[in-house]
Amino acid sequence: MNLYLGIVPFLFTLVAILGVGLKKSKVILSILLVAFFIRAGLAFTHAFIMPLPDSDADAVMFENLGWEWANDSNRSLFSNFTSGAFIYSWIISVLYTLTDRSPLMIQGINVFLGTTCVYLVWLIAMRITNVNTRVSGSATLVVAVWPTLNLYSALTMREAWIVFFSLLGIYYSILWWEKNKNIYCLMSIFSFLGSLAFHSGMMGFLGIYCCLILAKWFSSFLQNKGSSFIRQSLLLIILAGIIVFVLLTSFGLDKLGKVLNDGIEGVGEQQEIAARSRA
């Protein structure tokens, strides 16, 4: 294991926390430090002391596959690109190609994303509670110490990436709804597309978003707001194009594709086979 390389994302996260926290408030600084040290402590425990729960199957497989792809001289870096679960292995392969093999570095990146998720919850809570620091702090602290979120932010698993992009999409959605600026809408759509790249279930976000844009489109139409109607129409066209792209390319829809092709029973059989291979 490349120890020095592995420590870099942890140091970067700590510096980022101090930079953001000192500018914002002592409340969020304290919560972010708690979130970071819990996640970092778990990551180092797994790396040097003992394996964490749920770390002997997918976590090992994702990292090993990433290293295998990074050393595959017969194929180009982008030939292994995919969406769904194994996009995580592809990201690992890119990082290993550019640097060296270091599972601790991958864990550190997840710790950074997990800690960033805590900060995003703070930003979202401050928006929806009209800058109520007490309520926002309580909600953020729950996320900072929640065991499952801590665990999967410390392992070489894709969950931290899914949650990060989902929360980023929700945050920009709130900004779009408040400020009515199309740039926020586009950023939220592409954030949700990022979460979809890792998990088929995130397709629901795009469906909900389509309903929100339709609601604003109808509202603009009924109120005869010409400029707003044009903006919402453009957003609908863009979102429709993205949905068509996703459906035609099956981007992120690996599990849904299995359901459509094999049915529920076929997926169940695949899960049983995978479970036996991990045992």
Side-chain angles (χ1 to χ4, degrees):
M1 178 187 296
N2 192 323
L3 179 60
Y4 296 108
L5 183 62
I7 291 176
V8 170
F10 292 94
L11 293 177
F12 176 82
T13 304
L14 186 57
V15 171
I17 289 172
L18 294 175
V20 171
L22 291 174
K23 289 182 179 180
K24 295 292 182 179
S25 70
K26 292 182 179 179
V27 174
I28 187 58
L29 173 61
S30 301
I31 295 174
L32 288 176
L33 287 174
V34 169
F36 168 72
F37 282 116
I38 292 176
R39 287 160 171 77
L42 288 172
F44 280 103
T45 297
H46 175 72
F48 299 109
I49 300 176
M50 65 178 190
L52 295 175
D54 202 20
S55 63
D56 58 351
D58 286 351
V60 174
M61 180 265 295
F62 284 136
E63 196 275 335
N64 284 340
L65 184 59
W67 177 241
E68 180 182 328
W69 283 351
N71 287 278
D72 188 356
S73 59
N74 295 324
R75 305 181 68 180
S76 66
L77 187 63
F78 290 96
S79 63
N80 291 318
F81 177 78
T82 183
S83 61
F86 293 106
I87 191 175
Y88 185 54
S89 291
W90 180 77
I91 292 173
I92 293 174
S93 72
V94 172
L95 293 172
Y96 281 175
T97 300
L98 297 176
T99 56
D100 192 8
R101 188 176 193 179
S102 176
L104 184 61
M105 175 183 68
I106 306 303
Q107 290 177 264
I109 293 172
N110 277 7
V111 168
F112 168 75
L113 291 173
T115 307
T116 304
C117 287
V118 175
Y119 181 60
L120 286 171
V121 170
W122 164 266
L123 294 177
I124 292 169
M126 289 288 280
R127 285 281 175 183
I128 63 179
T129 62
N130 197 23
V131 198
N132 188 320
T133 305
R134 183 176 179 180
V135 175
S136 300
S138 299
T140 308
L141 183 60
V142 170
V143 176
V145 300
W146 196 261
T148 306
L149 293 175
N150 280 305
L151 175 63
Y152 288 104
S153 294
L155 297 175
T156 51
M157 301 278 276
R158 57 182 171 143
E159 278 74 11
W161 293 77
I162 297 171
V163 176
F164 168 74
F165 281 114
S166 298
L167 287 173
L168 193 64
I170 292 171
Y171 174 64
Y172 282 124
S173 297
I174 294 172
L175 289 180
W176 168 60
W177 200 261
E178 288 181 351
K179 301 179 181 295
N180 200 28
K181 292 185 177 180
N182 285 1
I183 184 63
Y184 293 130
C185 180
L186 293 175
M187 292 176 76
S188 62
I189 290 173
F190 284 107
S191 296
F192 290 138
L193 198 61
S195 66
L196 175 64
F198 290 87
H199 198 288
S200 305
M202 298 302 108
M203 183 67 179
F205 277 120
L206 292 180
I208 293 172
Y209 221 80
C210 189
C211 294
L212 291 175
I213 297 176
L214 275 171
K216 282 206 167 190
W217 182 82
F218 270 113
S219 175
S220 301
F221 176 76
L222 294 175
Q223 297 177 27
N224 198 24
K225 295 181 178 179
S227 60
S228 179
F229 179 77
I230 293 174
R231 288 200 304 270
Q232 306 312 321
S233 298
L234 289 174
L235 290 176
L236 273 177
I237 293 172
I238 293 172
L239 183 57
I242 291 174
I243 292 176
V244 169
F245 163 78
V246 169
L247 294 176
L248 290 178
T249 62
S250 296
F251 180 79
L253 302 182
D254 54 330
K255 288 189 176 180
L256 291 180
K258 291 177 182 177
V259 172
L260 294 175
N261 293 329
D262 304 330
I264 299 297
E265 294 181 358
V267 175
E269 291 177 0
Q270 290 180 349
Q271 294 295 331
E272 290 179 4
I273 294 171
R276 289 197 296 269
S277 67
R278 293 166 181 162

